[in-house]
Amino acid sequence: GETSPSSPLKDLNYSNPATSPPIISPIPFWAMMETPRAILSASSIASHPSIQGLILGTNDLSKEIRLRPHSHKATRSGLSTSLQVTILAARAYNKLVIDGVYNHFNDDEGFREECNQGKEWGMDGKTLIHPNQLSAANEIFAPSKEEIEYARRVLDCWEAVSSNSDEQFTGVAVLNGLMIEELHVESARKLLERANAIASFESS
């Protein structure tokens, strides 16, 4: 349901940690972001230590902000601000963020298109309404072979340059004409950690 001032999160003092320390729940919360009030409170919601992640409730949100019914190939332009505000709030507090459902469960092409859009925007995954969506979602949101290979090349390049005793390391490397900094190395490491975790889960 809505994460609003009338929700259980109010009892956890998520909206005003300055006046009293937040009560930490022994069970992690996943907040449904499905109303204008939830989106406008995204930062406060994501900041609470009991919140593990944010989930976009795009159907309810579309209804609440009075979007017109859309076709299979919609750009979701009417939702873009709400989606990006939620992503920003999740990233600001190092929380996960999951994209909303795709209603046309027999439209594989449209589903893949929306998954790719969500991944490009920074989503960690997608909520599903039908088993036939599972395989494509796992494929798209998992690091691809190309992404894994590039991440390894970034780390190899960085290691080679930073450990070269013949030259003073300036904090910058170059890979195929592209500048590589510590932030790119950190992203590459995180991607490989995700890939390894997925591989470990699939082999267990």
Side-chain angles (χ1 to χ4, degrees):
E2 175 189 355
T3 45
S4 71
S6 62
S7 76
L9 287 179
K10 179 152 190 324
D11 298 331
L12 298 181
N13 300 311
Y14 80 91
S15 60
N16 194 8
T19 59
S20 58
I23 300 171
I24 310 302
S25 169
I27 302 174
F29 281 96
W30 283 79
M32 287 297 301
M33 310 296 289
E34 55 188 7
T35 68
R37 293 176 71 188
I39 301 302
L40 293 175
S41 301
S43 181
S44 295
I45 294 168
S47 70
H48 195 280
S50 290
I51 292 293
Q52 187 174 27
L54 307 179
I55 304 175
L56 272 304
T58 46
N59 282 339
D60 285 298
L61 187 58
S62 295
K63 168 182 168 290
E64 291 295 322
I65 61 180
R66 301 178 187 174
L67 293 185
R68 292 175 133 189
H70 52 72
S71 69
H72 294 200
K73 304 295 187 245
T75 63
R76 300 201 289 179
S77 58
L79 287 172
S80 61
T81 297
S82 299
L83 299 179
Q84 291 167 354
V85 164
T86 304
I87 293 167
L88 286 171
R91 293 294 169 256
Y93 295 99
N94 197 28
K95 305 297 172 70
L96 297 171
V97 56
I98 306 300
D99 201 358
V101 301
Y102 186 74
N103 294 319
H104 306 284
F105 55 85
N106 286 322
D107 176 18
D108 184 65
E109 180 183 351
F111 177 71
R112 286 177 171 273
E113 182 179 326
E114 195 165 285
C115 283
N116 279 311
Q117 181 190 63
K119 181 177 181 177
E120 289 173 2
W121 284 359
M123 300 286 186
D124 295 300
K126 191 166 186 66
T127 49
L128 310 178
I129 60 173
H130 196 279
N132 66 12
Q133 297 177 327
L134 182 60
S135 177
N138 284 341
E139 173 194 332
I140 291 168
F141 282 99
S144 67
K145 292 181 179 179
E146 292 77 13
E147 289 172 326
I148 293 171
E149 176 60 27
Y150 181 73
R152 287 173 176 161
R153 289 169 60 202
V154 167
L155 296 186
D156 289 345
C157 175
W158 186 262
E159 178 63 24
V161 174
S162 62
S163 62
N164 188 347
S165 59
D166 296 332
E167 298 181 15
Q168 183 178 2
F169 181 52
T170 62
V172 174
V174 178
L175 176 61
N176 293 338
L178 295 175
M179 183 178 70
I180 303 296
E181 297 181 278
E182 181 65 41
L183 63 94
H184 302 109
V185 176
E186 181 182 351
S187 295
R189 286 181 180 136
K190 287 183 177 179
L191 185 141
L192 292 177
E193 287 173 2
R194 287 184 58 216
N196 290 335
I198 292 170
S200 177
F201 175 80
E202 290 178 341
S203 64
S204 62

